[in-house]
PDB file of all heavy atoms in Angstrom:
ATOM      1  N   ALA A   1      10.331  13.184   5.552  1.00  0.00           N
ATOM      2  CA  ALA A   1       9.215  12.830   6.435  1.00  0.00           C
ATOM      3  C   ALA A   1       7.959  12.468   5.647  1.00  0.00           C
ATOM      4  O   ALA A   1       7.228  11.545   6.027  1.00  0.00           O
ATOM      5  CB  ALA A   1       8.928  13.980   7.398  1.00  0.00           C
ATOM      6  N   PHE A   2       7.697  13.197   4.552  1.00  0.00           N
ATOM      7  CA  PHE A   2       6.517  12.851   3.752  1.00  0.00           C
ATOM      8  C   PHE A   2       6.852  11.790   2.702  1.00  0.00           C
ATOM      9  O   PHE A   2       6.199  10.749   2.628  1.00  0.00           O
ATOM     10  CB  PHE A   2       5.925  14.083   3.066  1.00  0.00           C
ATOM     11  CG  PHE A   2       4.707  13.755   2.249  1.00  0.00           C
ATOM     12  CD1 PHE A   2       3.484  13.536   2.860  1.00  0.00           C
ATOM     13  CD2 PHE A   2       4.789  13.629   0.869  1.00  0.00           C
ATOM     14  CE1 PHE A   2       2.357  13.206   2.117  1.00  0.00           C
ATOM     15  CE2 PHE A   2       3.672  13.291   0.118  1.00  0.00           C
ATOM     16  CZ  PHE A   2       2.456  13.078   0.745  1.00  0.00           C
ATOM     17  N   TYR A   3       7.852  12.106   1.876  1.00  0.00           N
ATOM     18  CA  TYR A   3       8.258  11.121   0.857  1.00  0.00           C
ATOM     19  C   TYR A   3       9.708  10.734   1.102  1.00  0.00           C
ATOM     20  O   TYR A   3      10.570  11.606   1.131  1.00  0.00           O
ATOM     21  CB  TYR A   3       8.110  11.710  -0.551  1.00  0.00           C
ATOM     22  CG  TYR A   3       8.507  10.727  -1.641  1.00  0.00           C
ATOM     23  CD1 TYR A   3       7.592   9.806  -2.119  1.00  0.00           C
ATOM     24  CD2 TYR A   3       9.805  10.717  -2.146  1.00  0.00           C
ATOM     25  CE1 TYR A   3       7.961   8.891  -3.104  1.00  0.00           C
ATOM     26  CE2 TYR A   3      10.173   9.810  -3.124  1.00  0.00           C
ATOM     27  CZ  TYR A   3       9.241   8.897  -3.601  1.00  0.00           C
ATOM     28  OH  TYR A   3       9.594   7.990  -4.558  1.00  0.00           O
ATOM     29  N   PRO A   4      10.000   9.476   1.355  1.00  0.00           N
ATOM     30  CA  PRO A   4       9.106   8.309   1.216  1.00  0.00           C
ATOM     31  C   PRO A   4       8.540   7.764   2.522  1.00  0.00           C
ATOM     32  O   PRO A   4       7.856   6.755   2.495  1.00  0.00           O
ATOM     33  CB  PRO A   4      10.043   7.284   0.584  1.00  0.00           C
ATOM     34  CG  PRO A   4      11.358   7.565   1.248  1.00  0.00           C
ATOM     35  CD  PRO A   4      11.403   9.066   1.467  1.00  0.00           C
ATOM     36  N   PHE A   5       8.843   8.404   3.683  1.00  0.00           N
ATOM     37  CA  PHE A   5       8.433   7.794   4.950  1.00  0.00           C
ATOM     38  C   PHE A   5       6.914   7.711   5.106  1.00  0.00           C
ATOM     39  O   PHE A   5       6.398   6.698   5.598  1.00  0.00           O
ATOM     40  CB  PHE A   5       9.043   8.559   6.124  1.00  0.00           C
ATOM     41  CG  PHE A   5      10.536   8.392   6.235  1.00  0.00           C
ATOM     42  CD1 PHE A   5      11.315   9.359   6.854  1.00  0.00           C
ATOM     43  CD2 PHE A   5      11.171   7.287   5.713  1.00  0.00           C
ATOM     44  CE1 PHE A   5      12.689   9.216   6.957  1.00  0.00           C
ATOM     45  CE2 PHE A   5      12.547   7.130   5.799  1.00  0.00           C
ATOM     46  CZ  PHE A   5      13.307   8.099   6.429  1.00  0.00           C
ATOM     47  N   THR A   6       6.200   8.802   4.722  1.00  0.00           N
ATOM     48  CA  THR A   6       4.735   8.759   4.810  1.00  0.00           C
ATOM     49  C   THR A   6       4.145   8.041   3.601  1.00  0.00           C
ATOM     50  O   THR A   6       3.350   7.101   3.740  1.00  0.00           O
ATOM     51  CB  THR A   6       4.156  10.175   4.911  1.00  0.00           C
ATOM     52  OG1 THR A   6       4.685  10.827   6.071  1.00  0.00           O
ATOM     53  CG2 THR A   6       2.638  10.133   5.010  1.00  0.00           C
ATOM     54  N   PHE A   7       4.512   8.515   2.417  1.00  0.00           N
ATOM     55  CA  PHE A   7       4.071   7.875   1.178  1.00  0.00           C
ATOM     56  C   PHE A   7       5.305   7.533   0.349  1.00  0.00           C
ATOM     57  O   PHE A   7       6.126   8.406   0.092  1.00  0.00           O
ATOM     58  CB  PHE A   7       3.160   8.813   0.376  1.00  0.00           C
ATOM     59  CG  PHE A   7       2.676   8.228  -0.929  1.00  0.00           C
ATOM     60  CD1 PHE A   7       1.563   7.419  -0.957  1.00  0.00           C
ATOM     61  CD2 PHE A   7       3.356   8.478  -2.105  1.00  0.00           C
ATOM     62  CE1 PHE A   7       1.111   6.880  -2.152  1.00  0.00           C
ATOM     63  CE2 PHE A   7       2.915   7.932  -3.299  1.00  0.00           C
ATOM     64  CZ  PHE A   7       1.786   7.127  -3.321  1.00  0.00           C
ATOM     65  N   PRO A   8       5.508   6.279  -0.042  1.00  0.00           N
ATOM     66  CA  PRO A   8       4.555   5.156   0.042  1.00  0.00           C
ATOM     67  C   PRO A   8       4.842   4.148   1.154  1.00  0.00           C
ATOM     68  O   PRO A   8       4.166   3.141   1.231  1.00  0.00           O
ATOM     69  CB  PRO A   8       4.751   4.485  -1.312  1.00  0.00           C
ATOM     70  CG  PRO A   8       6.211   4.650  -1.578  1.00  0.00           C
ATOM     71  CD  PRO A   8       6.610   5.987  -0.974  1.00  0.00           C
ATOM     72  N   ILE A   9       5.860   4.392   2.014  1.00  0.00           N
ATOM     73  CA  ILE A   9       6.231   3.380   2.998  1.00  0.00           C
ATOM     74  C   ILE A   9       5.124   3.134   4.012  1.00  0.00           C
ATOM     75  O   ILE A   9       4.776   1.990   4.322  1.00  0.00           O
ATOM     76  CB  ILE A   9       7.542   3.783   3.704  1.00  0.00           C
ATOM     77  CG1 ILE A   9       8.714   3.706   2.724  1.00  0.00           C
ATOM     78  CG2 ILE A   9       7.806   2.879   4.913  1.00  0.00           C
ATOM     79  CD1 ILE A   9      10.023   4.197   3.286  1.00  0.00           C
ATOM     80  N   THR A  10       4.535   4.216   4.548  1.00  0.00           N
ATOM     81  CA  THR A  10       3.488   4.061   5.562  1.00  0.00           C
ATOM     82  C   THR A  10       2.108   3.922   4.926  1.00  0.00           C
ATOM     83  O   THR A  10       1.394   2.941   5.173  1.00  0.00           O
ATOM     84  CB  THR A  10       3.502   5.262   6.524  1.00  0.00           C
ATOM     85  OG1 THR A  10       4.800   5.383   7.106  1.00  0.00           O
ATOM     86  CG2 THR A  10       2.476   5.078   7.621  1.00  0.00           C
ATOM     87  N   ALA A  11       1.700   4.888   4.154  1.00  0.00           N
ATOM     88  CA  ALA A  11       0.401   4.864   3.469  1.00  0.00           C
ATOM     89  C   ALA A  11       0.658   4.827   1.967  1.00  0.00           C
ATOM     90  O   ALA A  11       0.955   5.856   1.363  1.00  0.00           O
ATOM     91  CB  ALA A  11      -0.427   6.084   3.850  1.00  0.00           C
ATOM     92  N   GLY A  12       0.537   3.649   1.388  1.00  0.00           N
ATOM     93  CA  GLY A  12       0.829   3.478  -0.026  1.00  0.00           C
ATOM     94  C   GLY A  12      -0.407   3.549  -0.900  1.00  0.00           C
ATOM     95  O   GLY A  12      -1.491   3.961  -0.450  1.00  0.00           O
ATOM     96  N   PRO A  13      -0.280   3.129  -2.153  1.00  0.00           N
ATOM     97  CA  PRO A  13      -1.418   3.161  -3.075  1.00  0.00           C
ATOM     98  C   PRO A  13      -2.624   2.368  -2.594  1.00  0.00           C
ATOM     99  O   PRO A  13      -3.766   2.738  -2.860  1.00  0.00           O
ATOM    100  CB  PRO A  13      -0.838   2.551  -4.360  1.00  0.00           C
ATOM    101  CG  PRO A  13       0.635   2.809  -4.269  1.00  0.00           C
ATOM    102  CD  PRO A  13       0.965   2.702  -2.811  1.00  0.00           C
ATOM    103  N   GLY A  14      -2.377   1.271  -1.868  1.00  0.00           N
ATOM    104  CA  GLY A  14      -3.488   0.490  -1.350  1.00  0.00           C
ATOM    105  C   GLY A  14      -4.368   1.288  -0.404  1.00  0.00           C
ATOM    106  O   GLY A  14      -5.594   1.138  -0.409  1.00  0.00           O
ATOM    107  N   CYS A  15      -3.756   2.157   0.399  1.00  0.00           N
ATOM    108  CA  CYS A  15      -4.526   2.998   1.313  1.00  0.00           C
ATOM    109  C   CYS A  15      -5.383   4.002   0.546  1.00  0.00           C
ATOM    110  O   CYS A  15      -6.493   4.329   0.971  1.00  0.00           O
ATOM    111  CB  CYS A  15      -3.582   3.746   2.265  1.00  0.00           C
ATOM    112  SG  CYS A  15      -2.705   2.667   3.405  1.00  0.00           S
ATOM    113  N   ILE A  16      -4.863   4.485  -0.591  1.00  0.00           N
ATOM    114  CA  ILE A  16      -5.635   5.409  -1.415  1.00  0.00           C
ATOM    115  C   ILE A  16      -6.892   4.712  -1.934  1.00  0.00           C
ATOM    116  O   ILE A  16      -7.996   5.268  -1.892  1.00  0.00           O
ATOM    117  CB  ILE A  16      -4.780   5.941  -2.581  1.00  0.00           C
ATOM    118  CG1 ILE A  16      -3.604   6.756  -2.044  1.00  0.00           C
ATOM    119  CG2 ILE A  16      -5.624   6.777  -3.533  1.00  0.00           C
ATOM    120  CD1 ILE A  16      -2.669   7.261  -3.122  1.00  0.00           C
ATOM    121  N   VAL A  17      -6.726   3.469  -2.417  1.00  0.00           N
ATOM    122  CA  VAL A  17      -7.864   2.708  -2.932  1.00  0.00           C
ATOM    123  C   VAL A  17      -8.894   2.475  -1.829  1.00  0.00           C
ATOM    124  O   VAL A  17     -10.108   2.641  -2.033  1.00  0.00           O
ATOM    125  CB  VAL A  17      -7.385   1.363  -3.518  1.00  0.00           C
ATOM    126  CG1 VAL A  17      -8.581   0.486  -3.894  1.00  0.00           C
ATOM    127  CG2 VAL A  17      -6.503   1.591  -4.728  1.00  0.00           C
ATOM    128  N   VAL A  18      -8.417   2.098  -0.642  1.00  0.00           N
ATOM    129  CA  VAL A  18      -9.329   1.824   0.470  1.00  0.00           C
ATOM    130  C   VAL A  18     -10.105   3.075   0.859  1.00  0.00           C
ATOM    131  O   VAL A  18     -11.333   3.035   1.024  1.00  0.00           O
ATOM    132  CB  VAL A  18      -8.548   1.271   1.679  1.00  0.00           C
ATOM    133  CG1 VAL A  18      -9.427   1.267   2.930  1.00  0.00           C
ATOM    134  CG2 VAL A  18      -8.063  -0.134   1.390  1.00  0.00           C
ATOM    135  N   MET A  19      -9.423   4.212   1.016  1.00  0.00           N
ATOM    136  CA  MET A  19     -10.101   5.433   1.426  1.00  0.00           C
ATOM    137  C   MET A  19     -11.087   5.913   0.369  1.00  0.00           C
ATOM    138  O   MET A  19     -12.184   6.379   0.698  1.00  0.00           O
ATOM    139  CB  MET A  19      -9.081   6.530   1.725  1.00  0.00           C
ATOM    140  CG  MET A  19      -8.274   6.286   2.991  1.00  0.00           C
ATOM    141  SD  MET A  19      -9.287   6.056   4.472  1.00  0.00           S
ATOM    142  CE  MET A  19      -9.980   7.699   4.686  1.00  0.00           C
ATOM    143  N   LEU A  20     -10.715   5.801  -0.899  1.00  0.00           N
ATOM    144  CA  LEU A  20     -11.647   6.173  -1.967  1.00  0.00           C
ATOM    145  C   LEU A  20     -12.881   5.282  -1.933  1.00  0.00           C
ATOM    146  O   LEU A  20     -14.021   5.758  -2.051  1.00  0.00           O
ATOM    147  CB  LEU A  20     -10.961   6.065  -3.325  1.00  0.00           C
ATOM    148  CG  LEU A  20     -10.007   7.186  -3.729  1.00  0.00           C
ATOM    149  CD1 LEU A  20      -9.310   6.847  -5.038  1.00  0.00           C
ATOM    150  CD2 LEU A  20     -10.754   8.507  -3.850  1.00  0.00           C
ATOM    151  N   THR A  21     -12.656   3.981  -1.765  1.00  0.00           N
ATOM    152  CA  THR A  21     -13.770   3.037  -1.772  1.00  0.00           C
ATOM    153  C   THR A  21     -14.687   3.259  -0.579  1.00  0.00           C
ATOM    154  O   THR A  21     -15.919   3.286  -0.712  1.00  0.00           O
ATOM    155  CB  THR A  21     -13.248   1.593  -1.754  1.00  0.00           C
ATOM    156  OG1 THR A  21     -12.365   1.394  -2.871  1.00  0.00           O
ATOM    157  CG2 THR A  21     -14.388   0.597  -1.851  1.00  0.00           C
ATOM    158  N   LEU A  22     -14.113   3.423   0.613  1.00  0.00           N
ATOM    159  CA  LEU A  22     -14.928   3.635   1.806  1.00  0.00           C
ATOM    160  C   LEU A  22     -15.639   4.980   1.766  1.00  0.00           C
ATOM    161  O   LEU A  22     -16.753   5.118   2.271  1.00  0.00           O
ATOM    162  CB  LEU A  22     -14.057   3.545   3.063  1.00  0.00           C
ATOM    163  CG  LEU A  22     -13.490   2.161   3.384  1.00  0.00           C
ATOM    164  CD1 LEU A  22     -12.622   2.226   4.626  1.00  0.00           C
ATOM    165  CD2 LEU A  22     -14.601   1.138   3.560  1.00  0.00           C
ATOM    166  N   SER A  23     -15.002   5.975   1.158  1.00  0.00           N
ATOM    167  CA  SER A  23     -15.618   7.301   1.065  1.00  0.00           C
ATOM    168  C   SER A  23     -16.869   7.256   0.192  1.00  0.00           C
ATOM    169  O   SER A  23     -17.919   7.771   0.572  1.00  0.00           O
ATOM    170  CB  SER A  23     -14.617   8.317   0.514  1.00  0.00           C
ATOM    171  OG  SER A  23     -15.207   9.581   0.377  1.00  0.00           O
ATOM    172  N   VAL A  24     -16.764   6.645  -0.971  1.00  0.00           N
ATOM    173  CA  VAL A  24     -17.924   6.567  -1.858  1.00  0.00           C
ATOM    174  C   VAL A  24     -18.893   5.487  -1.396  1.00  0.00           C
ATOM    175  O   VAL A  24     -20.056   5.464  -1.811  1.00  0.00           O
ATOM    176  CB  VAL A  24     -17.507   6.295  -3.319  1.00  0.00           C
ATOM    177  CG1 VAL A  24     -16.615   7.393  -3.838  1.00  0.00           C
ATOM    178  CG2 VAL A  24     -16.799   4.951  -3.446  1.00  0.00           C
ATOM    179  N   HIS A  25     -18.426   4.590  -0.514  1.00  0.00           N
ATOM    180  CA  HIS A  25     -19.311   3.564   0.056  1.00  0.00           C
ATOM    181  C   HIS A  25     -20.278   4.167   1.067  1.00  0.00           C
ATOM    182  O   HIS A  25     -21.263   3.535   1.452  1.00  0.00           O
ATOM    183  CB  HIS A  25     -18.458   2.481   0.725  1.00  0.00           C
ATOM    184  CG  HIS A  25     -19.258   1.321   1.250  1.00  0.00           C
ATOM    185  ND1 HIS A  25     -20.009   0.509   0.436  1.00  0.00           N
ATOM    186  CD2 HIS A  25     -19.426   0.838   2.499  1.00  0.00           C
ATOM    187  CE1 HIS A  25     -20.603  -0.425   1.161  1.00  0.00           C
ATOM    188  NE2 HIS A  25     -20.260  -0.238   2.429  1.00  0.00           N
ATOM    189  N   ASN A  26     -20.015   5.404   1.450  1.00  0.00           N
ATOM    190  CA  ASN A  26     -20.878   6.112   2.399  1.00  0.00           C
ATOM    191  C   ASN A  26     -22.198   6.472   1.714  1.00  0.00           C
ATOM    192  O   ASN A  26     -22.287   7.445   0.973  1.00  0.00           O
ATOM    193  CB  ASN A  26     -20.156   7.377   2.892  1.00  0.00           C
ATOM    194  CG  ASN A  26     -20.992   8.177   3.871  1.00  0.00           C
ATOM    195  OD1 ASN A  26     -22.071   7.763   4.270  1.00  0.00           O
ATOM    196  ND2 ASN A  26     -20.481   9.330   4.249  1.00  0.00           N
ATOM    197  N   GLN A  27     -23.217   5.679   1.964  1.00  0.00           N
ATOM    198  CA  GLN A  27     -24.516   5.850   1.304  1.00  0.00           C
ATOM    199  C   GLN A  27     -25.572   6.426   2.259  1.00  0.00           C
ATOM    200  O   GLN A  27     -26.766   6.225   2.045  1.00  0.00           O
ATOM    201  CB  GLN A  27     -25.001   4.509   0.743  1.00  0.00           C
ATOM    202  CG  GLN A  27     -24.106   3.946  -0.354  1.00  0.00           C
ATOM    203  CD  GLN A  27     -24.601   2.605  -0.839  1.00  0.00           C
ATOM    204  OE1 GLN A  27     -24.972   1.743  -0.066  1.00  0.00           O
ATOM    205  NE2 GLN A  27     -24.605   2.424  -2.143  1.00  0.00           N
ATOM    206  N   GLN A  28     -25.142   7.108   3.289  1.00  0.00           N
ATOM    207  CA  GLN A  28     -26.096   7.697   4.228  1.00  0.00           C
ATOM    208  C   GLN A  28     -26.919   8.771   3.520  1.00  0.00           C
ATOM    209  O   GLN A  28     -26.418   9.511   2.681  1.00  0.00           O
ATOM    210  CB  GLN A  28     -25.350   8.290   5.426  1.00  0.00           C
ATOM    211  CG  GLN A  28     -24.424   7.302   6.122  1.00  0.00           C
ATOM    212  CD  GLN A  28     -25.156   6.067   6.620  1.00  0.00           C
ATOM    213  OE1 GLN A  28     -26.282   6.162   7.103  1.00  0.00           O
ATOM    214  NE2 GLN A  28     -24.521   4.915   6.488  1.00  0.00           N
ATOM    215  N   THR A  29     -28.180   8.854   3.868  1.00  0.00           N
ATOM    216  CA  THR A  29     -29.096   9.769   3.166  1.00  0.00           C
ATOM    217  C   THR A  29     -29.031  11.189   3.714  1.00  0.00           C
ATOM    218  O   THR A  29     -28.976  12.150   2.953  1.00  0.00           O
ATOM    219  CB  THR A  29     -30.535   9.237   3.265  1.00  0.00           C
ATOM    220  OG1 THR A  29     -30.858   9.022   4.651  1.00  0.00           O
ATOM    221  CG2 THR A  29     -30.655   7.912   2.526  1.00  0.00           C
ATOM    222  N   SER A  30     -29.034  11.343   5.025  1.00  0.00           N
ATOM    223  CA  SER A  30     -29.031  12.682   5.605  1.00  0.00           C
ATOM    224  C   SER A  30     -27.620  13.246   5.690  1.00  0.00           C
ATOM    225  O   SER A  30     -26.641  12.504   5.751  1.00  0.00           O
ATOM    226  CB  SER A  30     -29.662  12.653   7.000  1.00  0.00           C
ATOM    227  OG  SER A  30     -28.846  11.934   7.903  1.00  0.00           O
ATOM    228  N   ILE A  31     -27.551  14.563   5.703  1.00  0.00           N
ATOM    229  CA  ILE A  31     -26.253  15.235   5.803  1.00  0.00           C
ATOM    230  C   ILE A  31     -25.581  14.902   7.133  1.00  0.00           C
ATOM    231  O   ILE A  31     -24.365  14.689   7.198  1.00  0.00           O
ATOM    232  CB  ILE A  31     -26.421  16.762   5.648  1.00  0.00           C
ATOM    233  CG1 ILE A  31     -26.954  17.096   4.250  1.00  0.00           C
ATOM    234  CG2 ILE A  31     -25.099  17.475   5.911  1.00  0.00           C
ATOM    235  CD1 ILE A  31     -27.184  18.572   4.022  1.00  0.00           C
ATOM    236  N   GLU A  32     -26.378  14.850   8.191  1.00  0.00           N
ATOM    237  CA  GLU A  32     -25.824  14.543   9.513  1.00  0.00           C
ATOM    238  C   GLU A  32     -25.173  13.162   9.540  1.00  0.00           C
ATOM    239  O   GLU A  32     -24.071  12.985  10.072  1.00  0.00           O
ATOM    240  CB  GLU A  32     -26.929  14.608  10.570  1.00  0.00           C
ATOM    241  CG  GLU A  32     -26.432  14.309  11.983  1.00  0.00           C
ATOM    242  CD  GLU A  32     -27.548  14.335  13.005  1.00  0.00           C
ATOM    243  OE1 GLU A  32     -28.700  14.654  12.612  1.00  0.00           O
ATOM    244  OE2 GLU A  32     -27.283  14.044  14.186  1.00  0.00           O
ATOM    245  N   ASP A  33     -25.845  12.173   8.929  1.00  0.00           N
ATOM    246  CA  ASP A  33     -25.293  10.821   8.898  1.00  0.00           C
ATOM    247  C   ASP A  33     -24.034  10.759   8.038  1.00  0.00           C
ATOM    248  O   ASP A  33     -23.085  10.023   8.358  1.00  0.00           O
ATOM    249  CB  ASP A  33     -26.334   9.832   8.370  1.00  0.00           C
ATOM    250  CG  ASP A  33     -27.449   9.588   9.369  1.00  0.00           C
ATOM    251  OD1 ASP A  33     -27.276   9.979  10.545  1.00  0.00           O
ATOM    252  OD2 ASP A  33     -28.486   9.028   8.975  1.00  0.00           O
ATOM    253  N   LYS A  34     -24.013  11.502   6.939  1.00  0.00           N
ATOM    254  CA  LYS A  34     -22.813  11.536   6.100  1.00  0.00           C
ATOM    255  C   LYS A  34     -21.626  12.116   6.867  1.00  0.00           C
ATOM    256  O   LYS A  34     -20.503  11.611   6.788  1.00  0.00           O
ATOM    257  CB  LYS A  34     -23.074  12.372   4.839  1.00  0.00           C
ATOM    258  CG  LYS A  34     -23.942  11.689   3.798  1.00  0.00           C
ATOM    259  CD  LYS A  34     -24.123  12.588   2.589  1.00  0.00           C
ATOM    260  CE  LYS A  34     -24.987  11.907   1.531  1.00  0.00           C
ATOM    261  NZ  LYS A  34     -24.296  10.747   0.930  1.00  0.00           N
ATOM    262  N   VAL A  35     -21.893  13.183   7.616  1.00  0.00           N
ATOM    263  CA  VAL A  35     -20.832  13.804   8.415  1.00  0.00           C
ATOM    264  C   VAL A  35     -20.321  12.826   9.468  1.00  0.00           C
ATOM    265  O   VAL A  35     -19.109  12.691   9.678  1.00  0.00           O
ATOM    266  CB  VAL A  35     -21.340  15.101   9.070  1.00  0.00           C
ATOM    267  CG1 VAL A  35     -20.311  15.624  10.078  1.00  0.00           C
ATOM    268  CG2 VAL A  35     -21.619  16.154   8.017  1.00  0.00           C
ATOM    269  N   LEU A  36     -21.249  12.118  10.118  1.00  0.00           N
ATOM    270  CA  LEU A  36     -20.856  11.147  11.137  1.00  0.00           C
ATOM    271  C   LEU A  36     -20.025  10.017  10.539  1.00  0.00           C
ATOM    272  O   LEU A  36     -19.071   9.536  11.165  1.00  0.00           O
ATOM    273  CB  LEU A  36     -22.103  10.575  11.825  1.00  0.00           C
ATOM    274  CG  LEU A  36     -22.884  11.533  12.721  1.00  0.00           C
ATOM    275  CD1 LEU A  36     -24.147  10.860  13.253  1.00  0.00           C
ATOM    276  CD2 LEU A  36     -22.013  12.017  13.877  1.00  0.00           C
ATOM    277  N   ALA A  37     -20.364   9.597   9.325  1.00  0.00           N
ATOM    278  CA  ALA A  37     -19.593   8.542   8.660  1.00  0.00           C
ATOM    279  C   ALA A  37     -18.169   9.023   8.379  1.00  0.00           C
ATOM    280  O   ALA A  37     -17.190   8.287   8.592  1.00  0.00           O
ATOM    281  CB  ALA A  37     -20.273   8.125   7.363  1.00  0.00           C
ATOM    282  N   HIS A  38     -18.034  10.256   7.899  1.00  0.00           N
ATOM    283  CA  HIS A  38     -16.703  10.809   7.651  1.00  0.00           C
ATOM    284  C   HIS A  38     -15.926  10.985   8.958  1.00  0.00           C
ATOM    285  O   HIS A  38     -14.709  10.783   8.988  1.00  0.00           O
ATOM    286  CB  HIS A  38     -16.815  12.148   6.927  1.00  0.00           C
ATOM    287  CG  HIS A  38     -17.133  12.022   5.463  1.00  0.00           C
ATOM    288  ND1 HIS A  38     -16.251  11.460   4.559  1.00  0.00           N
ATOM    289  CD2 HIS A  38     -18.231  12.383   4.748  1.00  0.00           C
ATOM    290  CE1 HIS A  38     -16.784  11.483   3.356  1.00  0.00           C
ATOM    291  NE2 HIS A  38     -17.988  12.037   3.444  1.00  0.00           N
TER     292      HIS A  38
END
């Protein structure tokens, strides 16, 4: 169910790159805004 159906068939390395990029792309200043972005 997890390997290989979840990773890498469903969520592969590309998804890891996207989530890392979007996570650090979160440039909100306040804690509340950061939480809302997540």
